[in-house]
Structure formats: structure tokens, C-alpha cells
Amino acid sequence: QVQLVESGGGLVQAGGSLRLSCAASGSSASIRRMAWYRQAPGKQRELVALITRSGLTNYVDSVKGRFAISRDNAKNTVYLQMNSLKFEDTAVYFCNAQELTGYNYWGQGTQVTVSS
């Protein structure tokens, strides 16, 4: 079992920055990758960024150059630094951890609201 606790969401003006954190506890040694997803009202959940155990990263095109995912293995924490935020980044952001088996764990979500 893996537990994920997110923090760092909030309200920010367009052009501003936020940093999301996701702390993993439990059987975190079985995690092969961690990721951030988001879901805006009326839309499907989408993958925003992921980072593998070896540190490889990938991003959805709409956030490339603005968002950066990183991890602190010693703290079992993954971060999402979000810069140059846009109104369309408004969503609930979910932390995800995927085990070697492919099983997915989810955090409770944190709201990010960007005012235009």
C-alpha cells in the first residue's frame, strides 16, 4: 500500500507560480514512476507530467517550458513547479504513483485556480 498526500494548491493570478508537493508513504520502494494529472470541470483527467525512478521526465505539450517535475528520493516526495500559469491550467491536480505491477495509487487532489 502507498499513501499519497498532496499540498501546495491555491489561487494565483495568471503569470504567477505555484509548487505542488506529493509525499509518498508506505511501500514506496515498489513505485516505478510518479506523475501529476489534472482534471478541469467537465473535462477528462489528463496526464500533465511524469518522472521515472531513473529521473526521466515527460510533459504534456501544453505545459512544456512552463512546468517542471522533480523528485526527492530521500523524502519520497515529488514536486511540480508551475510557472507562467494560465487560466486554462485551472484544475484539480492529482498525484499518481504507479507500481511495478502497473497498479496506480492516487492522492486526494489539490485545487489550482488561476485568475485571468
Side-chain angles (χ1 to χ4, degrees), residues 9-23:
L11 173 64
V12 64
Q13 287 188 332
S17 298
L18 283 174
R19 188 176 82 154
L20 306 182
S21 300
C22 174

Side-chain angles (χ1 to χ4, degrees), residues 18-91:
L18 283 174
R19 188 176 82 154
L20 306 182
S21 300
C22 174
S25 60
S27 304
S28 56
S30 63
I31 296 172
R32 70 175 177 183
R33 74 149 211 212
M34 295 189 73
W36 287 96
Y37 286 72
R38 66 186 178 187
Q39 187 166 18
K43 295 187 177 181
Q44 289 188 331
R45 189 173 297 190
E46 69 169 347
L47 175 63
V48 177
L50 66 84
I51 185 166
T52 67
R53 290 173 66 94
S54 60
L56 294 176
T57 60
N58 200 10
Y59 301 88
V60 67
D61 285 347
S62 60
V63 307
K64 286 180 179 177
R66 300 189 298 122
F67 291 11
I69 189 170
S70 60
R71 64 192 297 170
D72 184 332
N73 290 329
K75 296 182 179 179
N76 285 326
T77 300
V78 65
Y79 305 96
L80 184 67
Q81 178 66 45
M82 305 185 294
N83 300 323
S84 302
L85 282 161
K86 303 177 180 180
F87 176 75
E88 50 265 39
D89 294 319
T90 295

